[in-house]
Amino acid sequence: MKVFENPDLHCHSTRSDGHLTPTEVVSRALANGVDLLALTDHDELDGIDEALAAARDTALRLLPGVEISTSFAGETIHIVGLGIDHRHRPLQQALAELRAGRAERAERIGAELARCGIPDALAGARRLARNPELVGRAHFARHIVACGLMPDVKTVFDHYLATGKPGFVPHQWAEVEQAVGWIVASGGLAVLAHPARYRLSSRELQALLARFQNAGGEAIEVVGGAHTEQEMHRFAGIARQRGLLASRASDFHGIGEGPVDLGRCNPLPPDLIPVWSRFC
Ligand code: AMP
Ligand code: MN
Ligand code: MN
Ligand code: MN
């Protein structure tokens, strides 16, 4: 059985809102000593073949992955699929529909930002998005920074793009059960991404986890770029209590954007069952 020493099971490329191409992501992960990497672009499988080719005959094993956008209790919840079959037609079709919804949402975000006095934001975001089907909030944020209107992406989210801010538009993504179902049907394992990010009460989080597990979801990100030490301990406790496998995930988007580089997350608490035990 292969023991992985530096797995990183969540990151992005230019096929969604990452800064590096799939090939560049794999090269950087290799340079950082990652031995198991999942490329998990938002609602998109298009980068997987390139990443697999880049990882061939290297010390890095590439797991096909995806990060699916879902809606629950007014929050957007992200569900990562690991070890999916990126050629599975029902999964591809479901993600194509989510991307069509994104295109329509991008127009509404552009209109909201125009009302806030930021004209032509949609054109700017489209210019920055390397995948025309995947214009996301990160591209709007980067455009606003590039225009010199705000110092950094995080500040743009805090002022305009986070839930409830003036440039935010509500959007109906997939249901939690649908996303888990698509992942499982394509042979993958579903992971609840960055649980600390959601504005949910403890009761709502437990309700979300119940729905997620009833649908076949099996794992939760415990160690991740978005988690403080305290949050890591909280979600380690929830993994133990609910019998969830634990994941380790940088959620890397690019150099200098986000808190953690590829393969640089802390280790998992040793008593947890790592999600990669399923991929050894
Ligand atoms: P979207 O899927 O288009 O709604 O965009 C979600 C993406 O926006 C996340 O994956 C991050 O890349 C980025 N994002 C969300 N919240 C923040 C934040 N507070 N600061 C920086 N980036 C963020
Ligand atoms: Mn992102
Ligand atoms: Mn996410
Ligand atoms: Mn992500």
Side-chain angles (χ1 to χ4, degrees):
M1 188 175 89
K2 167 105 171 99
V3 176
F4 294 105
E5 287 176 1
N6 191 3
D8 190 338
L9 299 181
H10 180 162
C11 68
H12 297 275
S13 77
T14 44
R15 302 320 296 160
S16 64
D17 57 5
H19 285 279
L20 305 183
T21 65
T23 302
E24 289 166 342
V25 169
V26 168
S27 301
R28 187 169 183 88
L30 265 169
N32 286 1
V34 174
D35 49 10
L36 181 68
L37 180 74
L39 178 65
T40 56
D41 276 313
H42 297 283
D43 307 320
E44 177 61 280
L45 304 169
D46 195 36
I48 303 291
D49 277 324
E50 182 184 327
L52 283 169
R56 196 166 299 138
D57 300 325
T58 72
L60 180 150
R61 179 168 160 212
L62 194 283
L63 269 185
V66 67
E67 182 174 18
I68 303 182
S69 313
T70 74
S71 299
F72 171 86
E75 274 288 284
T76 298
I77 306 294
H78 285 172
I79 297 181
V80 161
L82 298 177
I84 45 120
D85 172 4
H86 60 296
R87 298 207 172 81
H88 191 72
R89 289 292 293 159
L91 176 62
Q92 290 178 340
Q93 277 162 4
L95 298 180
E97 277 184 39
L98 284 178
R99 293 196 298 275
R102 272 184 178 275
E104 174 270 326
R105 182 190 70 148
E107 294 187 8
R108 287 187 287 132
I109 294 175
E112 283 304 315
L113 289 171
R115 258 191 283 279
C116 298
I118 303 171
D120 304 324
L122 178 58
R126 281 185 177 148
R127 266 195 302 276
L128 292 177
R130 304 274 289 275
N131 177 350
E133 290 189 17
L134 222 299
V135 180
R137 283 184 293 163
H139 302 108
F140 282 95
R142 289 171 195 155
H143 166 72
I144 290 168
V145 172
C147 290
L149 296 171
M150 292 257 142
D152 55 48
V153 162
K154 188 182 176 309
T155 310
V156 183
F157 271 88
D158 291 347
H159 278 78
Y160 291 112
L161 295 174
T163 310
K165 299 296 176 186
F168 175 81
V169 300
H171 187 71
Q172 184 63 44
W173 299 104
E175 296 294 333
V176 169
E177 287 81 0
Q178 289 179 304
V180 174
W182 298 326
I183 290 165
V184 171
S186 81
L189 190 150
V191 187
L192 182 68
H194 42 64
R197 177 101 54 88
Y198 310 129
R199 298 180 317 165
L200 298 175
S201 66
S202 292
R203 187 187 288 261
E204 287 171 321
L205 180 69
Q206 291 295 339
L208 168 64
L209 284 166
R211 276 180 56 176
F212 172 74
Q213 288 183 278
N214 283 337
E218 292 191 76
I220 187 168
E221 288 180 1
V222 170
V223 170
H227 284 182
T228 64
E229 181 88 5
Q230 197 184 11
E231 287 165 341
M232 189 279 283
H233 287 299
R234 175 171 175 227
F235 293 106
I238 287 174
R240 289 183 195 105
Q241 180 195 30
R242 298 196 68 102
L244 288 158
L245 302 169
S247 192
R248 177 177 187 254
S250 66
D251 202 2
F252 177 79
H253 282 74
I255 301 146
E257 197 171 298
V260 186
D261 200 346
L262 288 163
R264 297 282 198 257
C265 287
N266 290 325
L268 281 185
D271 66 302
L272 296 183
I273 303 172
V275 67
W276 54 91
S277 62
R278 292 293 185 83
F279 300 104
C280 288

